[in-house]
Structures are given as C-alpha cells and as structure tokens.
Amino acid sequence: MPNIRYFLGGNTPTGFFSLYHQLSKPDRLRALYIIKGGPGSGKSTLMRRVERHAQAAGLETQQVLCSGDPGSLDALILPQLRAALVDGTAPHVVEPQCPGVVERYIDLSQYYDRAGLQPLKQSILAATAEYQGHYKRVYRCLGAAGELRRDMNELVDTQPVQKRLIKRAAGIISRELKGPAQGEGRAEQRFLSAVTHKGAFTLWDTVSAQADRVYELAGDYGLAHHMLSPILTAALAAGHDAVACPDPMAPDRLAHLIFPGLSLAFVTSTQEDPWPHRAYRRLRLDAMADAEAYRINRPRLRFTKRVAAALLDEGVAGLAQAKEAHDRLEKLYNPYVDFDGVARMADQVADQVLALADE
C-alpha cells in the first residue's frame, strides 16, 4: 500500500490554521468518527489500531499527522470506504453536519480513572498552562518570520515576473493537460509541509507514492504560487481531481499540487527543504525574478532571509518545549487510563467501519 500522509492543520504566522472542516462533508463521507478525550486518553492509539485492522483487510489508509508532533495521529482516512476518524479536540475541533447519520462521537474520557486523577489536579493545570504558554511564543516567532518572508517576496515578485511565471504555466498546461474536459474536477486541501517540533519539513514520500512525474519548482522567494494557481484552475476545468497544498508560512498561497489520477505533481523545493529525488523537470524560479530588483536589494534580501530563518528556528524551539510539556502532561494521565478499554473500543469501531464495505 502507498505511504500517504498529510497534515490538516498547520502552525502558521497567523496561529493554528485548520483544514479539518473538510472532513465533515456529508456529501463525501459515509461515516466520520469524532474522537473526544483529553491528553493521554488514547486517541492516536485508537486510530492506529483501527488502521491496522483496515490494512489487514487490504484497504488503503491515509494518515493525518499532528503538526505539533508528527509522531502522533490527528486523523485517519479510509478513502475506499469513504470513512474517517478524527481527533475532534482543540485546536482542530470538528462539528458534525449530519449527526447520527454520518458523524458519531467516541468518548474516551470514560476510560479515565477519575478518582486516581483527583490528587493530580494542580499538576495537570500547571502542565497545561505551560504547554499553552509555549504556543503563544511560537506564534509570535512565526508571525515575525512570516512578515519578513512576505517582505522578501514583495521585493522580487513584480508584475513582469508574474507574467513570465503564468506564461510558463501555460506551456505546462498545454503539454500535461491535453484532451477534452470531462466534467469538473474536485480539489482537496491538505498541508504537505509543516512547521513542527522537529523543524520545518515536507512529507515527500506522499508525493512519490502518487506521482511518477514531479516538476521541481526550485526557489526561496515564494514565486511558485503564480505557476501553481493557473495549473490548478486548468486541471479542475479539465476534470482532474487535485490535492492542493498551501504553504504553512503563507496559507493563502499554494506550495505544492498533486494530481494522483495523472501521476503528476508540482512541488516547491527550497535550499532548506529540497526535493530529495530526481525530478521529471526542474525549474529555477528565482532565475525568473527581476534581475535588477534582485541586484539592488541583494544585501537586504540576505539579511532578511537570515533573520527570518533565525525566527523560524526560535519557533521550532518553542514547539519542542511545548512537546516536552505535553509529554509530561500525558505521563500524568497515562497510568490512569484503561487502555484495554480503548483497545476494545477500537476493535468495535473497526468492525463498524469495515462493515461499510458490504453496504
């Protein structure tokens, strides 16, 4: 089975940016399990157990990773069954659109030993406050880094540059999207890249699992959006489904596009996070920037890039501290969780989900 993983939430300059609402679409899903439960209650454990059941049945699974801690699951998608499970707690709260028909709740708080947890109340509150406090600093750092990145982009992203990029996109469209339109395609938004406690990185294996032809758009100044936007519009008009991936440091701009049905992808590759494989085609976007503007602003660009990178590093350090605080919080809870009960619940949910294949 292909290794397909995404993020549905991102740590961005404007705070936590959620795409989790896309899971609660009754016209697309037959079943959505919204999991409720506090730290250490077994939400990720339950989803991984359901995933093993699904994989044993030969079904494709897609993991949605936690942007704060990529080692933890925030959602599990079973595309063939049109079903999903999601951690519905803050900051990625999911509200049901068709409760009882599509969405149903799983309450893991029932597996807490409430009497055992009572003496830990003050420790739990202190750990929670520390965890939330680190995120305030994280978003301040990412906010400042985002402003500096926007400043760099505005220095080189002139109207002539945009016209060159759009013209280049038109050539790609004529070459890659031939044939008559076959209805309107659908786009799903997913984060392929994220700022995590391990640093900023991209789930490149997800691209490799779905595309043999990968266009590498190499550049450090956020110019790829001007190529990706017209390509996405043309592909959807031609009836091709797409996975549109925003830039976590500028969520209003595209960073990557994947067209699984065409085995085609376009990825933004930077010096800090380069495409690790041989590309089908490699385009140096920074070479299309305004040469005179780049020459005049070179010292400013270098300085701004260095400071933005330092601020991003500070944000990552804050995420690492938040992760440590959350780990301590989970350790307080773990001894007082009935994980056997969680496992039984996972098996029941797996049975219900797999039964969808017979309906």
Side-chain angles (χ1 to χ4, degrees), residues 190-236:
R190 301 283 189 268
F191 280 109
L192 189 67
S193 306
V195 180
T196 79
H197 79 278
K198 295 182 177 181
F201 70 93
T202 302
L203 300 168
W204 296 124
D205 287 349
T206 294
V207 179
S208 300
Q210 299 180 89
D212 294 326
R213 290 172 296 134
V214 177
Y215 281 75
E216 180 185 2
L217 310 181
D220 294 324
Y221 299 115
L223 299 177
H225 174 78
H226 298 303
M227 287 189 68
L228 296 176
S229 185
I231 291 172
L232 175 60
T233 299
L236 295 177

Side-chain angles (χ1 to χ4, degrees), residues 285-326:
L285 299 193
D286 289 352
M288 300 183 196
D290 188 314
E292 182 63 15
Y294 180 80
R295 185 187 65 79
I296 294 173
N297 293 295
R298 185 178 300 171
R300 178 177 166 184
L301 285 167
R302 288 178 176 174
F303 172 79
T304 304
K305 186 176 182 180
R306 185 168 63 251
V307 176
L311 285 165
L312 181 61
D313 287 343
E314 281 299 304
V316 169
L319 286 169
Q321 292 174 321
K323 168 73 165 55
E324 291 175 1
H326 193 267

